[in-house]
């Protein structure tokens, strides 16, 4: 393992903040897999999985089995991890400006297209190299200003050169699920099966420019723009939702890390016999088919159903109880499907999202991600 410490500019003169990058295998070798944990800094399961995975990678490297390169950032958001308000961790939004740490990543398609338009030919490998060089140039032209912009810039700079990107998150309370670009579903089918994902959501542009899509969308969009050019899909990227925030256990994290290590064999970055793939627990579905359930009124939230349960159309998933006048407002589903996530707090404001159902009907338009 080779450890790099990247300096991150801070707003306060005389203070320091760093990002730790752990590299395995041969620098620059392919395939390259980039993994980061807890970009939303209060999503702790990811960091424990990163710890377990690092131990596995050290062992694999000692055995000479890493033929490509694996890049691991076990604490992707040192800014968010240091944030709290009166004892409560705040890891999803930057307290400096309220912005989500997993939104507003650089959209590089146009800048890359301008650079490579006259340079693409019939050679896939040469085209991939040209696009990667253009991605690096386009990113280098951007001038981050705030501390968080510098962090996002550094993370994307590492990821954008990789063949595979795994961004490790979790939901409030949830079962294992994945988000990826529609054309990457097949590339991540082994990961889906090894992790036992119960839902996989697909989109080509979910809105909000999340981290994972910043790496993968340029390839998809360049391929669509120039279908006659030999452009490979150079970066498959996935957001892995490692269940809920409180699902932090040694055994579970070890199994998840082993699943990811198994995926690395399937992806060709680690040599050896690929582990057998368990049956898929679900078929990938469009992100538009997710139904967010919202509270009609404010009050005490009482769930009737747990994550991982199947619900029918019109089923009452939760009640909102007004403790003053005793009224009870039921929250019903409009779609049948898997109740895959719910919030962890038990008091809601009117209009607040309380849970999500993985349905099958395409029901949503506009930005597909929550704030
Ligand atoms: Zn997250």
């Amino acid at each position: 393992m080779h450890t790099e410490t990247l300096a991150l500019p801070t707003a306060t003169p005389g203070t320091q903040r760093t990002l730790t990058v752990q590299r395995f295998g041969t620098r620059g070798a392919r395939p390259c897999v980039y993994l980061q944990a807890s970009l939303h800094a209060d999503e702790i399961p990811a960091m424990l999985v990163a710890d377990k995975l690092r131990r596995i990678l050290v062992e694999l490297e000692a055995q000479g089995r890493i033929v490509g390169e694996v890049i691991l950032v076990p604490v992707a958001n040192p800014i968010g991890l240091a944030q709290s308000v009166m004892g409560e961790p705040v890891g999803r939004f930057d307290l400096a400006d309220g912005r989500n740490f997993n939104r507003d990543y650089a959209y590089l398609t146009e800048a890359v297209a301008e650079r490579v338009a006259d340079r693409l030919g019939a050679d896939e490998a040469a085209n991939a190299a040209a696009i990667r060089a253009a991605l690096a140039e386009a990113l280098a032209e951007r001038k981050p200003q705030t501390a968080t912009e510098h962090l996002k810039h550094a993370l994307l700079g590492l990821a954008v050169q990789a063949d595979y990107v795994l961004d490790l998150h979790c939901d409030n309370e949830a079962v294992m699920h994945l988000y990826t670009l529609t054309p990457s579903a097949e590339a991540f089918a082994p990961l889906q099966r090894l992790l036992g994902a119960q839902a996989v959501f697909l989109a080509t542009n979910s809105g909000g420019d999340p981290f994972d899509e910043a790496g993968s969308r340029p390839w998809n969009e360049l391929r669509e723009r120039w279908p006659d050019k030999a452009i490979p899909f150079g970066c498959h990227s996935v957001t892995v939702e490692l269940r809920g925030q409180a699902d932090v256990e040694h055994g579970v994290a070890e199994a998840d890390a082993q699943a990811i290590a198994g995926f690395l064999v399937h992806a060709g970055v680690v040599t050896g016999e690929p582990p057998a793939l368990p049956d898929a627990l679900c078929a990938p579905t469009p992100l538009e088919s997710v139904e967010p359930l919202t509270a009609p009124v404010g009050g005490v939230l009482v769930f009737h159903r747990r994550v991982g349960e199947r619900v029918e159309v019109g089923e009452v998933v939760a009640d909102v109880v007004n403790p003053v006048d005793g009224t009870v407002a039921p929250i019903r589903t409009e779609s049948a499907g898997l109740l895959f996530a719910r919030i962890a707090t038990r008091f809601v404001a009117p209009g607040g999202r309380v849970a999500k159902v993985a349905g099958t009907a395409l029901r949503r338009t506009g930005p597909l991600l929550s704030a």
Side-chain angles (χ1 to χ4, degrees), residues 247-329:
D247 294 322
V248 180
E249 294 177 22
H250 281 300
V252 172
E254 179 66 33
D256 291 342
Q258 290 289 354
I260 291 170
F263 170 73
L264 297 180
V265 181
H266 280 273
V269 67
V270 171
T271 58
E273 186 66 28
L277 298 177
D279 289 341
L281 300 181
C282 64
T285 50
L287 186 55
E288 292 101 314
S289 61
V290 170
E291 182 191 358
L293 301 177
T294 56
V297 295
V300 177
L301 178 66
V302 187
F303 281 108
H304 290 288
R305 305 302 302 266
R306 297 178 190 281
V307 295
E309 293 183 347
R310 303 228 157 242
V311 293
E312 299 303 323
V313 175
E315 210 172 309
V316 178
V317 167
D319 291 326
V320 182
V321 176
N322 181 326
V324 176
D325 64 15
T327 54
V328 176

Side-chain angles (χ1 to χ4, degrees), residues 40 43 92 102 169-170 241:
H40 285 143
E43 297 173 0
R92 184 175 181 84
N102 192 22
H169 288 245
C170 72
E241 300 283 350

